Each structure stands twice: as structure tokens, then as C-alpha cells.
Amino acid sequence: MPHLNFRPSGVQWGRRRGWAYSAGQRDWFTFVERVTPRQLQAFGFPPPGHPYWTPETPAGMALRYPGLDLTPWRRPG
């Protein structure tokens, strides 16, 4: 039997196992805080300028990843 996943077409980062799977591991925090926004896209983060990034979402990211430079996500799209 095949395994199927569904997502809205506008949610490109929605996957069966995305970055959130590892979100509680210290190595993941270290990784996220050191890589570029483009590299994070490979793990399912929406790119800067995407409608996902409202004023509230970078604020939440700052709480989870205090060492991450959120400047690219705070710029207007």
C-alpha cells in the first residue's frame, strides 16, 4: 500500500518530514543559526519574502533560534 501525503499547493515547505522533525535537537539549533536562508530552504524553511513571514513569524523564530540573524526574513518582500 503506498503512503500518501497531501498539502495545500501554496505550502511548498509542507513535507512528511521537514525541519520541524529535528527542531528540538541541539545540533539542529546550531545548524540553523549558522547557515544561509537559501540553505534553510533545502530543509523546508520558506524563503525570505514569502507570505509566511509576517511580523509575528520572525519573532517566533527569534525565540526558538536566538543566534539566527533574522534580517533577511524581516525585510519587506
Side-chain angles (χ1 to χ4, degrees):
M1 174 177 272
H3 181 84
L4 302 173
N5 288 307
F6 295 92
R7 64 172 170 77
S9 62
V11 183
Q12 294 87 0
W13 67 90
R15 295 185 178 97
R16 182 173 185 271
R17 181 177 178 198
W19 61 270
Y21 178 82
S22 301
Q25 299 175 13
R26 183 68 235 158
D27 289 343
W28 177 251
F29 285 81
T30 302
F31 172 78
V32 168
E33 292 174 350
R34 293 183 179 172
V35 299
T36 67
R38 178 83 172 136
Q39 290 168 316
L40 288 173
Q41 282 180 259
F43 292 89
F45 281 71
H50 189 280
Y52 174 81
W53 298 108
T54 66
E56 292 80 22
T57 50
M61 289 286 289
L63 294 173
R64 182 174 291 266
Y65 305 107
L68 178 62
D69 177 11
L70 290 160
T71 305
W73 292 280
R74 288 186 172 136
R75 290 186 194 132

